[in-house]
Amino acid sequence: MWWPAAFKRFKVLCLVNCALAALVLGAFSGWVQAADYSGPLFDAHLHYNEEAWNGQAGPHPLSDVLARMQRNGVQAIVANSRPNDGTKALAEAREATRAAGVTVVPFIRLYRNRDDYTNWFRDESIYAMVQAEFARGTAAGPYRGIGEFHLYDSANANGPVAKKLMQFAQDQQLAVLAHVDDVAIDLLLAHAPKARLIWAHTGIGGASVERVEALLTKYPQLMGELSYRPGLTCGDGALCPEWRALLLKYPTRFLIGSDTWVNQRWLYYDELMRGYRRWLGDLPPAVARRIAWDNGAALFLAPRP
């Protein structure tokens, strides 16, 4: 007669222990991996190039790209395209962008075609084109920046058109989106010390965290955009420790972006945004919100001074 009673007590004890273990494991799991960031996103580096849609044909018409933004909670974009027709198409689609909940912030890109990538910094016709575009503006309002441009040799930051464009941006209070190395940051800002410079990829060549921090300290107007940034995340998509520390130290100095420079990036747009939400969840909520949305909104959605 003792066996059934002992067995019942043993069974109850097992159930209690199992329940406690589940609670402990659940709490530990929540501590190890925070919830993904769920707030709005500001895509501060987006291209709508002619390969995606040239106004008549292409795999990613306006309805497609706006649907991708909407389902990922992207509520504002910095649009810069080759040629500028793509940006103007987004700016002109005011009813569609309003329905998708997306605000378009137009930038003037320096590239009419791929040949311009390697020669823009000394091509006077590029400077004339930028001035003409700026004078025209867009259906979404005035242009708010120039770029993205590339300098494959940092010395070309001293090209005559590079100098004039930096000074033009400073005079007109335009942001500059630059795909350059850390040496070129110093050269470009020597031409226009008060210009707002957004460092595309925060150094795609892999400038050290220490060097990035030194430049942020030296130039209070410098912002880092984090697409393609080497070493930003580790194995499971979480922030690497040194980058987490940097973002916590400078929460007002970073932006995120998709860099849809080829159509494959549009195909993986959902995955790119999920990746951001994953590592933003590693940060305190207020810091995550700043990097995901507030910094871009403060730059481009608030009234200009």
Side-chain angles (χ1 to χ4, degrees):
M1 295 297 294
W2 58 269
W3 173 255
F7 180 79
K8 288 177 182 178
R9 287 195 298 273
F10 177 74
K11 183 177 180 182
V12 170
L13 184 61
C14 283
L15 290 172
V16 171
N17 286 339
C18 287
L20 287 171
L23 286 171
V24 171
L25 286 172
F28 181 74
S29 174
W31 175 76
V32 170
Q33 183 170 336
D36 290 356
Y37 169 77
S38 60
L41 299 177
F42 194 122
D43 185 343
H45 185 163
L46 181 140
H47 305 295
Y48 194 35
N49 293 336
E50 61 184 353
E51 299 89 51
W53 183 253
N54 66 8
Q56 296 179 322
H60 299 292
L62 280 165
S63 58
D64 176 79
V65 297
L66 289 175
R68 292 174 191 272
M69 296 172 203
Q70 184 176 25
R71 68 175 175 255
N72 284 286
V74 173
Q75 296 183 15
I77 59 170
V78 164
N80 71 105
S81 311
R82 171 185 42 78
N84 286 298
D85 294 350
T87 292
K88 288 185 276 192
L90 286 165
E92 290 165 4
R94 302 186 70 179
E95 185 175 337
T97 55
R98 190 180 301 113
V102 177
T103 299
V104 178
V105 178
F107 272 35
I108 307 169
R109 200 155 194 214
L110 310 187
Y111 305 148
R112 300 156 298 190
N113 51 57
R114 289 193 176 276
D115 291 338
D116 288 335
Y117 281 55
T118 56
N119 198 48
W120 67 267
F121 45 85
R122 56 174 166 250
D123 186 340
E124 290 291 340
S125 71
I126 295 288
Y127 185 65
M129 180 268 288
V130 170
Q131 290 183 303
E133 284 288 355
F134 180 72
R136 278 193 294 266
T138 76
Y143 284 102
R144 302 299 302 274
I146 63 174
E148 178 198 22
F149 61 69
H150 299 71
L151 288 172
Y152 301 113
D153 181 344
S154 56
N156 290 327
N158 288 326
V161 172
K163 289 182 182 180
K164 290 202 296 185
L165 282 173
M166 288 300 299
Q167 291 160 0
F168 178 75
Q170 178 177 265
D171 292 345
Q172 300 298 329
Q173 299 181 52
L174 300 174
V176 177
L177 179 60
H179 177 133
V180 298
D181 64 14
D182 57 308
V183 175
I185 295 290
D186 283 318
L187 297 175
L188 290 170
L189 288 174
H191 307 317
K194 296 181 180 179
R196 170 70 69 187
L197 184 61
I198 300 173
W199 192 4
H201 321 299
T202 318
I204 199 169
S208 69
V209 169
E210 292 76 17
R211 176 61 171 153
V212 172
E213 182 172 5
L215 288 169
L216 292 174
T217 302
K218 184 176 181 180
Y219 302 113
Q221 76 277 34
L222 178 65
M223 303 287 291
E225 183 272 319
L226 293 168
S227 64
Y228 278 114
R229 170 59 221 197
L232 178 67
T233 59
C234 294
D236 60 351
L239 285 167
C240 293
E242 63 272 21
W243 271 95
R244 186 176 190 276
L246 188 67
L247 297 180
L248 288 173
K249 189 172 182 179
Y250 297 94
T252 62
R253 307 292 294 280
F254 290 98
L255 304 159
I256 63 167
S258 60
D259 191 13
T260 47
W261 67 286
V262 290
N263 288 343
Q264 185 184 38
R265 298 285 283 185
W266 281 116
L267 292 175
Y268 289 99
Y269 195 85
D270 295 10
E271 185 177 330
L272 292 170
M273 296 303 115
R274 282 195 298 269
Y276 280 126
R277 290 189 181 279
R278 165 67 188 89
W279 66 250
L280 285 164
D282 295 337
L283 298 167
V287 175
R289 166 88 184 203
R290 272 200 170 278
I291 295 168
W293 175 262
D294 291 348
N295 292 339
L299 282 175
F300 300 117
L301 302 187
R304 294 180 69 170

